[in-house]
Protein backbone atom coordinates (compact mmCIF):
# COMPACT_ATOMS: atom_id res chain seq x y z
CA UNK A 1 0.00 0.00 0.00
CA UNK A 2 0.92 3.66 -0.23
CA UNK A 3 0.39 4.74 3.36
CA UNK A 4 2.79 7.41 4.54
CA UNK A 5 2.48 8.55 8.14
CA UNK A 6 3.75 11.78 9.65
CA UNK A 7 3.41 13.40 13.05
CA UNK A 8 1.55 16.69 12.91
CA UNK A 9 3.23 19.54 14.76
CA UNK A 10 6.67 20.56 15.96
CA UNK A 11 7.84 23.77 17.59
CA UNK A 12 11.52 24.54 17.84
CA UNK A 13 13.62 27.48 18.99
CA UNK A 14 15.63 29.38 16.43
CA UNK A 15 19.16 27.98 16.26
CA UNK A 16 18.19 24.53 17.57
CA UNK A 17 17.99 21.42 15.43
CA UNK A 18 14.62 20.05 14.37
CA UNK A 19 13.83 16.49 13.41
CA UNK A 20 10.78 15.51 11.38
CA UNK A 21 9.78 11.88 11.11
CA UNK A 22 7.90 9.85 8.57
CA UNK A 23 7.02 6.17 8.30
CA UNK A 24 5.92 4.35 5.20
CA UNK A 25 4.47 0.93 4.60
CA UNK A 26 5.50 -0.01 1.07
CA UNK A 27 8.93 -1.58 0.77
CA UNK A 28 8.95 -1.23 -3.01
CA UNK A 29 9.61 2.49 -2.88
CA UNK A 30 12.40 3.78 -5.11
CA UNK A 31 12.99 7.36 -3.99
CA UNK A 32 11.89 9.16 -0.84
CA UNK A 33 11.48 12.92 -0.85
CA UNK A 34 11.10 15.85 1.47
CA UNK A 35 9.08 18.83 0.29
CA UNK A 36 8.47 22.16 2.06
CA UNK A 37 5.24 24.12 1.73
CA UNK A 38 4.93 27.69 2.95
CA UNK A 39 1.47 29.25 3.43
CA UNK A 40 -0.35 29.80 0.14
CA UNK A 41 2.55 28.45 -1.89
CA UNK A 42 3.39 25.32 -3.81
CA UNK A 43 5.76 22.57 -2.77
CA UNK A 44 9.47 23.18 -2.83
CA UNK A 45 11.65 20.12 -3.31
CA UNK A 46 14.19 20.10 -0.45
CA UNK A 47 16.04 16.85 -0.88
CA UNK A 48 15.55 13.22 -1.80
CA UNK A 49 17.22 9.89 -1.16
CA UNK A 50 17.38 6.70 -3.16
CA UNK A 51 15.95 3.73 -1.31
CA UNK A 52 19.26 1.86 -1.21
CA UNK A 53 20.97 4.69 0.68
CA UNK A 54 21.04 5.18 4.45
CA UNK A 55 21.89 8.83 4.73
CA UNK A 56 22.21 11.97 2.67
CA UNK A 57 23.49 15.35 3.81
CA UNK A 58 22.85 18.60 1.97
CA UNK A 59 24.03 21.73 3.81
CA UNK A 60 21.75 22.10 6.87
CA UNK A 61 19.63 19.11 5.89
CA UNK A 62 20.32 15.49 6.83
CA UNK A 63 18.08 12.68 5.66
CA UNK A 64 18.20 9.31 7.42
CA UNK A 65 16.52 6.22 6.02
CA UNK A 66 15.94 3.09 8.08
CA UNK A 67 14.67 0.54 5.60
CA UNK A 68 14.16 -2.17 8.20
CA UNK A 69 11.72 0.01 10.16
CA UNK A 70 10.50 1.88 7.06
CA UNK A 71 11.36 5.13 8.79
CA UNK A 72 12.53 8.35 7.17
CA UNK A 73 13.66 11.45 9.02
CA UNK A 74 14.74 14.97 8.11
CA UNK A 75 17.04 16.87 10.43
CA UNK A 76 17.37 20.62 9.99
CA UNK A 77 20.43 22.05 11.69
CA UNK A 78 20.48 25.63 13.02
CA UNK A 79 16.77 26.10 12.35
CA UNK A 80 15.84 29.57 11.12
CA UNK A 81 12.52 31.45 11.16
CA UNK A 82 12.35 30.94 7.40
CA UNK A 83 12.16 27.20 8.04
CA UNK A 84 8.63 27.62 9.47
CA UNK A 85 6.45 25.65 7.06
CA UNK A 86 4.72 22.34 6.51
CA UNK A 87 7.07 19.52 5.56
CA UNK A 88 5.86 16.58 3.53
CA UNK A 89 7.58 13.30 2.97
CA UNK A 90 6.70 11.43 -0.20
CA UNK A 91 7.74 8.30 -2.04
CA UNK A 92 7.68 6.85 -5.52
CA UNK A 93 7.55 3.17 -6.42
CA UNK A 94 8.95 0.81 -8.97
CA UNK A 95 6.81 0.78 -12.06
CA UNK A 96 5.11 4.14 -11.67
CA UNK A 97 5.94 7.79 -11.23
CA UNK A 98 3.27 9.09 -8.91
CA UNK A 99 4.22 10.54 -5.55
CA UNK A 100 2.50 9.25 -2.40
CA UNK A 101 2.51 11.96 0.28
CA UNK A 102 2.20 11.98 4.04
CA UNK A 103 -0.20 14.43 5.66
CA UNK A 104 2.60 16.79 6.55
CA UNK A 105 4.31 18.05 9.65
CA UNK A 106 3.97 21.72 10.60
CA UNK A 107 7.15 23.22 11.97
CA UNK A 108 6.98 26.49 13.86
CA UNK A 109 10.26 28.21 14.65
CA UNK A 110 10.19 30.40 17.75
CA UNK A 111 12.59 33.39 17.62
CA UNK B 1 11.41 32.29 -13.99
CA UNK B 2 11.20 29.02 -15.91
CA UNK B 3 9.34 27.17 -13.16
CA UNK B 4 6.01 25.37 -13.36
CA UNK B 5 3.29 27.94 -14.00
CA UNK B 6 -0.29 27.41 -12.94
CA UNK B 7 -3.24 29.68 -13.55
CA UNK B 8 -5.40 30.97 -12.25
CA UNK B 9 -4.02 31.12 -8.70
CA UNK B 10 -7.53 31.37 -7.31
CA UNK B 11 -10.77 30.28 -8.95
CA UNK B 12 -14.28 30.66 -7.63
CA UNK B 13 -17.14 28.73 -9.17
CA UNK B 14 -20.75 28.12 -8.31
CA UNK B 15 -22.08 24.60 -7.96
CA UNK B 16 -22.81 23.12 -11.38
CA UNK B 17 -20.32 25.27 -13.29
CA UNK B 18 -17.15 24.09 -14.99
CA UNK B 19 -13.63 24.72 -13.73
CA UNK B 20 -10.60 24.72 -16.02
CA UNK B 21 -7.15 24.71 -14.45
CA UNK B 22 -4.04 25.27 -16.52
CA UNK B 23 -0.47 24.12 -16.05
CA UNK B 24 2.58 25.02 -18.10
CA UNK B 25 5.50 22.73 -17.20
CA UNK B 26 9.05 23.84 -16.75
CA UNK B 27 10.89 24.55 -19.99
CA UNK B 28 12.02 21.32 -21.57
CA UNK B 29 9.67 19.16 -19.48
CA UNK B 30 7.16 16.97 -21.24
CA UNK B 31 5.77 15.01 -18.26
CA UNK B 32 3.01 16.56 -16.15
CA UNK B 33 1.41 15.34 -12.92
CA UNK B 34 -1.72 16.68 -11.21
CA UNK B 35 -2.37 16.41 -7.47
CA UNK B 36 -5.20 17.56 -5.22
CA UNK B 37 -4.77 18.84 -1.67
CA UNK B 38 -7.83 18.93 0.54
CA UNK B 39 -7.75 21.18 3.64
CA UNK B 40 -5.45 19.84 6.37
CA UNK B 41 -4.38 16.96 4.12
CA UNK B 42 -1.39 15.91 2.10
CA UNK B 43 -1.43 15.81 -1.67
CA UNK B 44 -3.19 13.01 -3.50
CA UNK B 45 -2.14 11.94 -6.97
CA UNK B 46 -4.72 12.39 -9.71
CA UNK B 47 -3.20 11.90 -13.16
CA UNK B 48 0.11 11.65 -15.03
CA UNK B 49 0.37 12.81 -18.64
CA UNK B 50 2.95 13.11 -21.35
CA UNK B 51 2.40 15.16 -24.47
CA UNK B 52 -0.91 13.98 -26.00
CA UNK B 53 -1.05 10.86 -23.80
CA UNK B 54 -2.55 9.94 -20.44
CA UNK B 55 -0.10 7.57 -18.77
CA UNK B 56 -1.74 6.98 -15.39
CA UNK B 57 -5.16 8.25 -14.36
CA UNK B 58 -5.63 5.93 -11.41
CA UNK B 59 -6.24 8.84 -9.03
CA UNK B 60 -8.86 10.61 -11.10
CA UNK B 61 -12.51 10.47 -10.04
CA UNK B 62 -14.43 8.45 -12.61
CA UNK B 63 -16.93 11.18 -13.36
CA UNK B 64 -16.73 14.93 -14.05
CA UNK B 65 -12.92 15.09 -14.09
CA UNK B 66 -10.74 15.01 -17.19
CA UNK B 67 -7.21 16.02 -18.10
CA UNK B 68 -5.31 16.65 -21.28
CA UNK B 69 -1.85 17.72 -22.34
CA UNK B 70 -2.01 18.72 -26.00
CA UNK B 71 0.90 18.89 -28.37
CA UNK B 72 0.83 22.67 -28.10
CA UNK B 73 -0.14 24.63 -25.03
CA UNK B 74 -0.59 23.91 -21.35
CA UNK B 75 -2.02 20.89 -19.62
CA UNK B 76 -5.65 21.37 -18.62
CA UNK B 77 -7.49 19.81 -15.69
CA UNK B 78 -11.21 20.14 -16.28
CA UNK B 79 -13.90 19.64 -13.67
CA UNK B 80 -17.46 19.64 -14.91
CA UNK B 81 -20.54 20.36 -12.77
CA UNK B 82 -18.48 21.26 -9.74
CA UNK B 83 -19.71 20.41 -6.24
CA UNK B 84 -18.66 21.77 -2.83
CA UNK B 85 -16.40 18.76 -2.27
CA UNK B 86 -14.24 19.83 -5.21
CA UNK B 87 -12.99 22.80 -3.17
CA UNK B 88 -9.27 22.18 -2.78
CA UNK B 89 -5.84 23.26 -3.95
CA UNK B 90 -4.82 21.64 -7.22
CA UNK B 91 -1.12 21.32 -7.89
CA UNK B 92 0.75 20.50 -11.04
CA UNK B 93 4.29 19.15 -11.22
CA UNK B 94 6.57 18.39 -14.13
CA UNK B 95 9.66 16.39 -15.05
CA UNK B 96 11.76 16.06 -18.16
CA UNK B 97 11.33 12.27 -18.07
CA UNK B 98 9.76 9.66 -15.87
CA UNK B 99 11.31 8.82 -12.52
CA UNK B 100 12.85 12.23 -11.93
CA UNK B 101 12.14 14.54 -8.94
CA UNK B 102 8.94 16.45 -9.56
CA UNK B 103 8.93 20.25 -9.46
CA UNK B 104 5.67 21.87 -8.42
CA UNK B 105 3.80 24.99 -9.34
CA UNK B 106 2.15 27.27 -6.79
CA UNK B 107 -1.23 25.65 -7.30
CA UNK B 108 -4.77 26.76 -8.08
CA UNK B 109 -7.06 27.25 -5.09
CA UNK B 110 -10.56 26.30 -6.20
CA UNK B 111 -13.50 27.47 -4.11
CA UNK B 112 -17.04 26.32 -4.81
CA UNK B 113 -19.89 28.52 -3.63
Amino acid sequence: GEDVEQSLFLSVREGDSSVINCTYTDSSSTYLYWYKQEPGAGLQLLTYIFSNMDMKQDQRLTVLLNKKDKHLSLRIADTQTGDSAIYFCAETFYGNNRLAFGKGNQVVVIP
Amino acid sequence: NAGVMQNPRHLVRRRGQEARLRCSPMKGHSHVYWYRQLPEEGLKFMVYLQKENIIDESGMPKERFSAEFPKEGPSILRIQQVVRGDSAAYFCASTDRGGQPQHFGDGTRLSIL
Side-chain angles (χ1 to χ4, degrees), chain A residues 38-75:
Chain A
E38 297 183 61
L43 274 72
Q44 175 192 352
L45 176 64
L46 289 178
T47 187
Y48 61 98
I49 189 169
F50 189 51
S51 58
N52 69 354
M53 296 171 63
D54 298 320
M55 187 186 89
K56 180 178 179 181
Q57 186 156 2
D58 184 359
Q59 299 182 339
R60 293 191 297 120
L61 305 177
T62 303
V63 179
L64 294 177
L65 176 59
N66 181 330
K67 289 183 285 295
K68 175 176 171 290
D69 296 336
K70 298 188 179 66
H71 182 261
L72 180 74
S73 68
L74 175 68
R75 178 177 179 269

Side-chain angles (χ1 to χ4, degrees), chain A residues 4-56:
Chain A
V4 182
E5 299 280 338
Q6 288 186 255
S7 51
L8 295 179
F9 183 82
L10 174 69
S11 66
V12 59
R13 292 202 177 275
E14 189 175 13
D16 288 351
S17 293
S18 47
V19 179
I20 309 164
N21 296 299
C22 172
T23 58
Y24 57 99
T25 58
D26 198 315
S27 58
S28 65
S29 55
T30 51
Y31 286 94
L32 295 117
Y33 302 82
W34 284 102
Y35 283 88
K36 174 185 179 184
Q37 185 180 35
E38 297 183 61
L43 274 72
Q44 175 192 352
L45 176 64
L46 289 178
T47 187
Y48 61 98
I49 189 169
F50 189 51
S51 58
N52 69 354
M53 296 171 63
D54 298 320
M55 187 186 89
K56 180 178 179 181

Side-chain angles (χ1 to χ4, degrees), chain B residues 23-95:
Chain B
C23 170
S24 297
M26 285 180 70
K27 188 176 181 180
H29 286 191
S30 59
H31 297 236
V32 164
Y33 313 79
W34 284 94
Y35 295 83
R36 177 166 63 177
Q37 184 179 32
L38 294 170
E40 311 289 324
E41 296 280 330
L43 278 71
K44 299 291 186 188
F45 169 80
M46 298 182 76
V47 62
Y48 163 35
L49 309 102
Q50 292 181 42
K51 283 285 187 181
E52 300 185 275
N53 289 301
I54 296 174
I55 306 302
D56 179 358
E57 56 181 348
S58 58
M60 286 278 272
K62 294 288 185 285
E63 297 178 349
R64 303 188 297 109
F65 285 73
S66 62
E68 62 177 6
F69 189 15
K71 187 177 179 182
E72 302 290 338
S75 176
I76 306 287
L77 179 68
R78 182 180 176 210
I79 312 172
Q80 295 178 286
Q81 299 174 339
V82 295
V83 300
R84 288 248 171 89
D86 297 333
S87 295
Y90 291 82
F91 290 96
C92 169
S94 74
T95 60

Side-chain angles (χ1 to χ4, degrees), chain A residues 78-89:
Chain A
D78 187 25
T79 310
Q80 305 296 307
T81 54
D83 295 327
S84 292
I86 299 176
Y87 291 81
F88 292 97
C89 64

Side-chain angles (χ1 to χ4, degrees), chain B residues 85-113:
Chain B
D86 297 333
S87 295
Y90 291 82
F91 290 96
C92 169
S94 74
T95 60
D96 59 350
R97 58 185 188 278
Q100 296 301 301
Q102 295 176 24
H103 296 270
F104 283 79
D106 284 341
T108 294
R109 271 95 184 147
L110 175 64
S111 298
I112 308 302
L113 301 180

